[in-house]
């Protein structure tokens, strides 16, 4: 349940949600496995996994949702080879070249034949709906997968007035200034990883890992015009992460000390422990987002 990445959206109109109404809306889009002829299926599943009972897990004004996707694994090379074999056979028997439309029809026929024998894989993606800060946090490093979940949620509830989180000042400008000055806002501590890019096509990209970012070797790249587009940071004593210039927050890692905050509850009641961990995680993520917004100079005005 602990989030590993954040793609962040903000509501551009005041938004609130009733948990019971949300649960009912999601029920019409519940996940079901692929049938023999489905190439993929995507729908909402229990927010707390096997220990949960509902599609929405709510604590206060925080709502956790989860979607499951199943995809059939049908390698394109397998379809291509089967198609070539079939086309060659027909062309030899009929002594003519098949038209593109005929080949497309054959490809569909072959795909339909192979699908029941294809392996399948499942993946899950979770999101936090947070009306208290008017944001949605998606646990994904992929913008495309995050958008897919938001599209499904929008379809389920009818409206979802969100835009990607963006800032008044370009993030790379702020990150570059932090690295140049060798200090960050009080809530954060700079780590030992960064990626710098040049605005010019010829300038290239330079990456540093396990490197003291205050060294002249690093700062020299800023002097020649490169800007910081990725910077590893630590938030308080709780979360290590990589902040990117596109506002994505990747490689979230909650410290062992922080995750142990509910150890006194034990594991005798898995749902109670999950609920406590959810409260702990969501509170810290809200604190992280609020601190990030402040450190980067505030959000861009809504359009």
């Amino acid at each position: 349940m602990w989030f590993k990445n954040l793609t962040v959206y903000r509501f551009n109109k005041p938004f609130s949600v009733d948990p019971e109404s949300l649960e009912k809306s999601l029920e019409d889009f519940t996940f079901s496995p692929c049938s023999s002829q489905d190439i993929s299926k995507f729908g909402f599943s229990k927010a707390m996994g096997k220990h949960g009972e509902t599609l929405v897990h709510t604590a206060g004004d925080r709502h956790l949702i989860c979607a499951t996707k199943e995809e059939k694994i049908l390698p394109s090379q397998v379809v291509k080879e089967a198609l070539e074999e079939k086309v060659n056979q027909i062309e030899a028997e009929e002594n003519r070249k098949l038209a593109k439309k005929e080949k497309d029809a054959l490809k569909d026929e072959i795909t339909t034949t192979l699908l029941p024998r294809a392996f399948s894989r499942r993946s899950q993606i979770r999101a936090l709906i947070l009306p208290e800060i008017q944001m949605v946090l998606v646990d994904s490093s992929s913008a495309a997968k995050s958008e897919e979940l938001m599209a499904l949620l929008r379809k389920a509830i009818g409206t979802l007035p969100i835009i990607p989180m963006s800032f008044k000042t370009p993030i790379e400008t702020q990150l570059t200034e932090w690295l140049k000055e060798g200090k960050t806002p009080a809530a954060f501590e700079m780590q030992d990883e960064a990626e710098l890019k040049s605005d010019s096509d010829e300038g290239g990209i330079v990456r540093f890992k396990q490197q003291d970012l205050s060294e002249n070797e690093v700062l020299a790249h800023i002097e020649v015009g490169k800007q910081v587009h990725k910077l590893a940071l630590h938030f308080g004593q709780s979360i290590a992460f990589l902040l990117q210039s596109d506002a994505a927050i990747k490689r979230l890692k909650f410290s062992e000390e922080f995750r142990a905050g509910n150890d006194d509850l034990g594991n005798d009641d898995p749902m109670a422990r999950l609920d406590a961990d959810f409260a702990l995680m969501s509170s810290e993520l809200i604190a992280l987002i609020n601190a990030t917004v402040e450190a980067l100079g505030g959000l861009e005005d809504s359009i």
Side-chain angles (χ1 to χ4, degrees):
M1 184 199 65
W2 295 89
F3 279 30
K4 297 179 180 179
N5 298 281
L6 293 180
T7 296
V8 184
Y9 298 88
R10 54 186 290 222
F11 290 104
N12 58 4
K13 295 180 181 178
F15 185 86
S16 61
V17 60
D18 171 56
E20 293 182 1
S21 298
L22 180 59
E23 178 78 21
K24 188 173 181 180
S25 297
L26 300 194
E27 285 175 356
D28 292 333
F29 297 87
T30 301
F31 171 76
S32 59
C34 288
S35 68
S36 62
Q37 294 304 313
D38 288 322
I39 196 163
S40 69
K41 279 290 192 74
F42 188 50
F44 294 106
S45 49
K46 294 176 181 178
M48 285 294 194
K50 64 181 181 180
H51 297 296
E53 298 295 334
T54 58
L55 300 175
V56 183
H57 180 78
T58 296
D61 199 23
R62 304 167 191 174
H63 315 285
L64 180 69
I65 61 172
C66 177
T68 296
K69 186 170 189 177
E70 183 177 45
E71 299 173 283
K72 292 286 184 68
I73 303 172
L74 191 57
S76 58
Q77 187 62 30
V78 172
V79 177
K80 181 181 178 182
E81 290 174 359
L83 177 61
E84 286 178 352
E85 183 178 345
K86 189 68 174 177
V87 168
N88 291 336
Q89 177 188 341
I90 294 174
E91 289 182 341
E93 290 174 352
E94 300 183 7
N95 193 28
R96 67 182 183 88
K97 291 291 184 182
L98 293 185
K100 183 179 183 302
K101 183 183 292 185
E102 292 175 297
K103 291 180 181 179
D104 289 343
L106 279 175
K107 183 178 181 180
D108 291 341
E109 180 183 316
I110 289 168
T111 300
T112 299
T113 302
L114 293 175
L115 272 176
R117 291 180 282 162
F119 291 104
S120 64
R121 62 183 175 193
R122 289 188 184 182
S123 59
Q124 290 189 321
I125 181 171
R126 287 180 167 81
L128 266 171
I129 304 172
L130 300 169
E132 64 183 280
I133 59 170
Q134 291 293 294
M135 289 190 178
V136 180
L137 314 184
V138 182
D139 181 12
S140 177
S141 61
S142 166
K145 290 181 179 179
S146 299
E147 288 290 346
E148 186 178 28
L149 175 56
M150 293 299 97
L152 182 65
L153 181 59
R154 184 179 291 108
K155 189 175 181 180
I157 65 179
T159 181
L160 192 65
I162 57 171
I163 56 175
M165 181 173 67
S166 58
F167 295 85
K168 293 178 180 178
T169 303
I171 295 176
E172 60 267 28
T173 300
Q174 296 281 16
L175 297 185
T176 303
E177 187 65 23
W178 295 356
L179 188 56
K180 184 177 180 180
E181 296 297 324
K183 61 181 180 180
T184 58
F188 300 97
E189 181 180 345
M190 199 180 308
Q191 301 301 292
D192 59 0
E193 180 179 350
E195 179 180 290
L196 287 71
K197 292 183 182 180
S198 174
D199 289 336
S200 67
D201 294 336
E202 297 81 16
I205 301 172
V206 59
R207 299 180 178 91
F208 295 98
K209 277 192 174 183
Q210 297 180 337
Q211 172 94 29
D212 182 349
L213 299 181
S214 65
E215 291 182 354
N216 289 335
E217 176 188 355
V218 179
L219 300 178
H221 289 280
I222 294 177
E223 294 300 321
V224 297
K226 288 188 177 70
Q227 290 191 308
V228 180
H229 283 256
K230 297 181 182 180
L231 184 63
L233 297 165
H234 210 287
F235 175 62
Q237 301 299 311
S238 58
I239 308 174
F241 65 99
L242 188 71
L243 179 60
Q244 299 190 164
S245 58
D246 61 359
I249 296 174
K250 296 188 176 182
R251 292 181 4 214
L252 280 174
K253 187 175 182 180
F254 293 86
S255 68
E256 291 298 324
E257 294 79 11
F258 181 79
R259 289 172 63 118
N262 291 321
D263 279 358
D264 58 324
L265 295 176
N267 296 303
D268 293 338
D269 186 341
M271 192 58 206
R273 176 59 186 265
L274 281 172
D275 195 35
D277 285 346
F278 171 69
L280 187 67
M281 179 192 73
S282 59
S283 292
E284 200 66 8
L285 288 180
I286 289 171
L288 170 63
I289 293 299
N290 285 337
T292 301
V293 170
E294 181 179 356
L296 293 176
L299 295 171
E300 187 177 23
D301 294 336
S302 298
I303 299 175

